[in-house]
Amino acid sequence: MSLPPVPSYDADPAAVRDCAAVLLAASAQVDDLGSFAAGSAQVAGWTGLAADAYHAASRPTGRRGDAVSLALRHVARRVDAHADALESLRVRRDVLLDERARLAAELADVPTATATGATAAVRRFAADVAGWSADLAAEEAGMRAVLTRFDRLDGALRRFGDAADPADAALSRLPGHGAPPGVVKAWWDGLDAAQRRAVVAAAPGAVGNLDGIPARWRDAANRVALDRDLAAWELLADLGRLGDDEARWLVNARAAHEAVATAQAGVDPVTLQPVPAQLHLYDPRAFDGDGAVAVAVGDLDVADDVAVVVPGLGSDAGSAPYQAARAVTLYESCRVLDASATPAVLAWVGYDAPDNVPWDGGPDAGWDGAGVVREDHAARGGERLADAVDGLRAGRDGEPAHVTVVGHSYGSTTAGHAAHDHGLPVDDLVLVGSPGAGGDTDHAADTGLDPSHVWAVANSRDAVADLANHGAFHLESLAGGGLGDDPAEDDFGARRVRAESTDRAALPGLADHARYFDHDTEALRNISLVVTGDHDAVTLAGPVTDPWWGPPHDPEWHRPPEAPDTDGRP
Amino acid sequence: MTEIRSTASAAAALAVLAVTATACGGGGDRVDHTGAAVLERQRAEVRATAVALATDLSGATGGEVQSATGDWDGCEPAFADRFAGVRYAATVRLSLAGWEVPPRQRAEVLAELLGDPAEGAGDTGALVRTAPDGHEALVEVTAPCVEVPAGERDAWLVREEPTPDLPVPARGR
């Protein structure tokens, strides 16, 4: 009695999925061509023989473009489904391999005379292998049929030449600019699946950054937009025809691409499976070319605990890979500390942070670093942040998430403004390495949250945290300078957590300002516990005090730091 | 050593920061001060180590390599939300399906088979982890962080790895 072999299998579902993304981006590009030919390329008021000839030639080009776009979209969807099928077949094959190993061990121990049961098991196994092979063959045949049907222009025209784009009717009902996220969500819920897919493919820019659209659809749209932009600008670069603006946008697009790759390379420390990644915000042209990018690690639509990490000085689209790596680290820590948690961490570069400091980048780099000691950027960014969190909440179905905003450095000032000025709808607010919570936020209660849900994370060597106002002297009263009060100080009323690092420097400096999200640090552990809602496990630190008769005093200065495990690695 | 926090005004503190940043290179102090050539060399070393580990692991278990890739990663956070350095890292995902060892015992047996995977890896760190269900193993090989000049950091981060797939020999059932 012999066991049939399990057929070899070298399919790469990830590569197939990449192919689907390329096809979808191509569909968007061709759709743009069709729209151009039918719209801007038509010259109103131009008449005569030449005009007739021009219009007679250009209109069919537009129609052909639309048909080809729809065909590409159709094929892309089928290729994406093919990737799902290949992945499913791979999992089934792994089960067959394990079953074969188990049967082989069993057969080696079974005497021939009592092998009836084993024979039946082998027959069942053989049938399962045959079924798997048949399913694989059927899937490949189906995929080939679709590719063959649309491998020529006439195939696309036959099927889609007179077809209406489902996106058109859907987009005609798109809520106007500034519509509340709830209205946007209601519009989206009113579309059927085909319309949603069509909108994502035909007009990714219309929904990719629209608050109220569910995160997985924003991700789908933004990936189409990103792939389309990269293809277009890389081509212009190759041709030597890239303008200055486009060159900046290309840098931002590449950074967004790298940020997504960084997030996707993350591995869940509990299951060892890849973590979901979402491109939640992609606007390479935003803020005069600084760009806006937000990448999530985890699924924002279904996570029980959502953290929005707001970076500070110098953050722009170019820093997105760094922010994505930080999000991976926080996600890993949340999972290591609570294996039952379902977190999602959004690295949000969605506001115009002050540019880098003047000594970094050279004299020609340009900077608005003066903004770092003023609150203008934080005040404007706070409004955007509150809108973004509103959008996150509105885009979800089912139970509301436990949402925490984690503002680092100048990002904590931005978060403070979002809370004080715009009623930031969060459950917890974490101010990390804060140079000030904003001029109008003198106390944790001024954020609108219960002070027990406002957390200060500041280590004793962080020179940036020292920038915040202490004691009774408030710098914001002098010509608008300064960023507000120190959240780690006793009279602010927040809960200060332990945040020292075993690598901390002897003196205050900038290095310790950048260590709050390092693995195996007190800060990352405590931030993670706030994010997952395990507040009782947070280790608290004594607040900074600043008596009127002397300078500030930090009780954490002499405490030996600990190195808790946050990555699960030995 | 004082435990007193500065009461400097924001403007004065910014000036202090400028001096501090200049003194420490504007970033962390735990990176190796070497050049880009080191990164090219460590690329070869990490890839070779990952391929060797994947080959050993595949040979010992009969498992198939699901994916094997390498790329440069940012490392060592610096002030103003950037990485101060870059390092090469490789990851190999291996299916253990079909291994005669029952899934629940695979992590333990694998650890015994491999010993310390970091041994013989030189300056690179190597780690092999097994999924809780015993169906997959993950090999992670990383090189030490190498500082790169501030003006080159972003370019390194988005640098295209010419051949991300590692040359792991086809093997398995």
Side-chain angles (χ1 to χ4, degrees):
Chain A
M1 186 166 27
S2 64
L3 282 165
V6 178
S8 61
Y9 186 66
D10 61 357
D12 184 351
V16 175
R17 212 175 297 285
D18 287 346
C19 172
V22 169
L23 288 168
L24 209 52
S27 162
Q29 286 179 290
V30 177
D31 186 78
D32 289 347
L33 170 67
S35 301
F36 169 76
S40 305
Q42 301 302 307
V43 186
W46 182 26
T47 57
L49 289 176
D52 291 346
Y54 168 78
H55 289 133
S58 59
R59 285 198 187 98
T61 300
R63 282 196 293 274
R64 282 197 296 272
D66 288 342
V68 169
S69 172
L70 289 171
L72 282 167
R73 198 187 302 169
H74 179 77
V75 175
R77 176 166 153 67
R78 182 61 183 84
V79 171
D80 206 38
H82 187 54
D84 289 342
L86 292 177
E87 180 61 30
S88 172
L89 284 161
R90 188 191 67 75
V91 172
R92 280 176 59 193
R93 182 173 175 275
D94 282 352
V95 172
L96 288 173
L97 285 167
D98 274 340
E99 176 65 3
R100 190 177 191 281
R102 191 188 65 77
L103 280 173
E106 196 174 296
L107 288 173
D109 293 338
V110 174
T112 310
T114 60
T116 310
T119 303
V122 170
R123 283 189 184 136
R124 278 196 302 274
F125 176 73
D128 288 345
V129 170
W132 182 88
S133 299
D135 289 348
L136 173 61
E139 174 57 32
E140 288 184 327
M143 185 69 256
R144 268 200 306 273
V146 171
L147 291 173
T148 304
R149 186 178 179 194
F150 296 110
D151 66 351
R152 297 176 63 85
L153 178 61
D154 55 356
L157 290 174
R158 259 199 314 276
R159 171 67 178 80
F160 294 108
D162 297 318
D165 187 339
D168 294 341
L171 288 168
S172 70
R173 302 196 302 274
L174 178 70
H177 179 73
V183 172
V184 171
K185 178 64 162 47
W187 166 72
W188 188 254
D189 285 346
L191 305 181
D192 62 31
Q195 286 176 313
R196 292 175 185 172
R197 287 193 299 269
V199 167
V200 162
V207 292
N209 301 324
L210 189 57
D211 291 328
I213 300 293
R216 73 187 180 96
W217 289 103
R218 288 179 65 147
D219 171 59
N222 284 330
R223 288 184 192 237
V224 172
L226 173 60
D227 288 343
R228 179 197 60 194
D229 288 351
L230 282 172
W233 295 330
E234 298 277 12
L235 176 64
L236 287 176
D238 289 345
L239 295 172
R241 293 168 56 186
L242 202 62
D244 289 345
D245 285 344
E246 288 151 331
R248 290 191 74 183
W249 303 337
L250 175 56
V251 167
N252 293 340
R254 285 173 175 159
H257 185 264
E258 179 63 26
V260 172
T262 298
Q264 283 181 168
V267 173
D268 187 292
V270 177
T271 65
L272 294 192
Q273 295 306 302
V275 295
Q278 293 174 333
L279 181 56
H280 193 69
L281 174 63
Y282 167 68
D283 184 354
R285 299 172 177 85
F287 310 131
D288 293 329
D290 279 358
V293 173
V295 174
V297 178
D299 189 338
L300 293 166
D301 285 334
V302 300
D304 290 335
D305 300 299
V306 172
V308 180
V309 181
V310 185
L313 171 69
S315 58
D316 53 21
S319 72
Y322 176 86
Q323 310 300 342
R326 180 184 275 177
V328 170
T329 303
L330 181 52
Y331 177 94
E332 289 173 338
S333 177
C334 288
R335 289 282 289 152
V336 165
L337 294 169
D338 182 357
S340 67
T342 56
V345 181
L346 179 64
W348 186 77
V349 191
Y351 77 111
D352 187 14
D355 285 349
N356 227 337
V357 282
W359 59 84
D360 192 0
D364 301 325
W367 69 294
D368 52 8
V372 79
V373 292
R374 298 178 56 86
E375 299 182 39
D376 315 35
H377 291 256
R380 289 192 295 271
E383 183 175 8
R384 286 179 173 272
L385 175 59
D387 287 346
V389 176
D390 275 338
L392 265 176
R393 287 202 179 277
R396 288 170 54 106
D397 294 315
E399 286 292 305
H402 167 250
V403 178
T404 304
V405 159
V406 182
H408 176 235
S409 191
Y410 191 87
S412 70
T413 315
T414 302
H417 271 281
H420 176 274
D421 305 348
H422 304 286
L424 184 67
V426 295
D427 300 287
D428 285 280
L429 177 64
V430 185
L431 307 174
V432 184
S434 179
D440 295 326
T441 304
D442 297 330
H443 190 274
D446 294 339
T447 62
L449 277 76
D450 182 321
S452 67
H453 290 270
V454 181
W455 308 81
V457 185
N459 68 56
S460 60
R461 270 64 167 182
D462 181 352
V464 174
D466 273 345
L467 289 168
N469 295 320
H470 298 111
F473 176 67
H474 288 191
L475 196 71
E476 71 267 19
S477 59
L478 298 178
L483 302 176
D485 290 345
D486 181 358
E489 205 171 87
D490 55 352
D491 56 6
F492 188 83
R495 301 172 81 182
R496 186 188 184 194
V497 308
R498 292 186 172 188
E500 300 299 307
S501 161
T502 53
D503 292 328
R504 69 186 181 187
L507 293 170
L510 299 179
D512 281 289
H513 184 64
R515 287 189 178 137
Y516 292 106
F517 296 88
D518 282 6
H519 265 309
D520 299 345
T521 60
E522 295 174 349
L524 183 61
R525 175 186 181 275
N526 284 323
I527 293 169
S528 305
L529 291 170
V530 173
V531 168
T532 57
D534 192 2
H535 297 174
D536 290 342
V538 173
T539 51
L540 298 175
V544 174
T545 55
D546 187 14
W548 63 267
W549 64 86
H553 169 89
D554 188 344
E556 286 290 278
W557 184 274
H558 287 302
R559 184 180 62 77
E562 296 172 351
D565 177 25
T566 61
D567 66 3
R569 292 182 170 89
Chain B
M1 189 60 59
T2 178
E3 61 185 35
I4 303 302
R5 287 163 68 106
S6 166
T7 54
S9 70
L14 193 61
V16 171
L17 286 181
V19 174
T20 314
T22 306
C24 68
D29 53 4
R30 291 177 291 171
V31 291
D32 297 329
H33 293 266
T34 47
V38 175
L39 283 167
E40 294 291 351
R41 196 161 59 243
Q42 71 170 213
R43 172 180 181 270
E45 290 172 1
V46 167
R47 291 170 70 91
T49 302
V51 169
L53 271 171
T55 305
D56 286 353
L57 207 54
S58 180
T61 65
E64 294 175 349
V65 173
Q66 305 285 347
S67 63
T69 59
D71 203 352
W72 284 281
D73 285 343
C75 51
E76 190 59 31
F79 180 67
D81 284 350
R82 288 292 193 278
F83 286 115
V86 176
R87 68 182 170 202
Y88 200 85
T91 304
V92 178
R93 186 176 289 276
L94 185 90
S95 169
L96 301 178
W99 193 14
E100 60 271 18
V101 176
R104 277 181 300 180
Q105 298 166 22
R106 285 173 182 168
E108 189 181 343
V109 175
L110 202 58
E112 288 173 4
L113 281 174
L114 284 172
D116 182 357
E119 279 183 22
D123 289 339
T124 63
L127 178 66
V128 179
R129 293 187 282 174
T130 308
D133 61 8
H135 290 149
E136 286 185 327
L138 199 66
V139 181
E140 297 165 309
V141 184
T142 52
C145 200
V146 176
E147 184 173 326
V148 294
E152 299 175 17
R153 289 171 186 166
D154 288 353
W156 270 103
L157 268 188
V158 298
R159 180 175 174 145
E160 287 281 328
E161 159 60 64
T163 54
D165 290 340
L166 302 180
V168 177
R171 189 185 281 270
R173 279 159 276 272

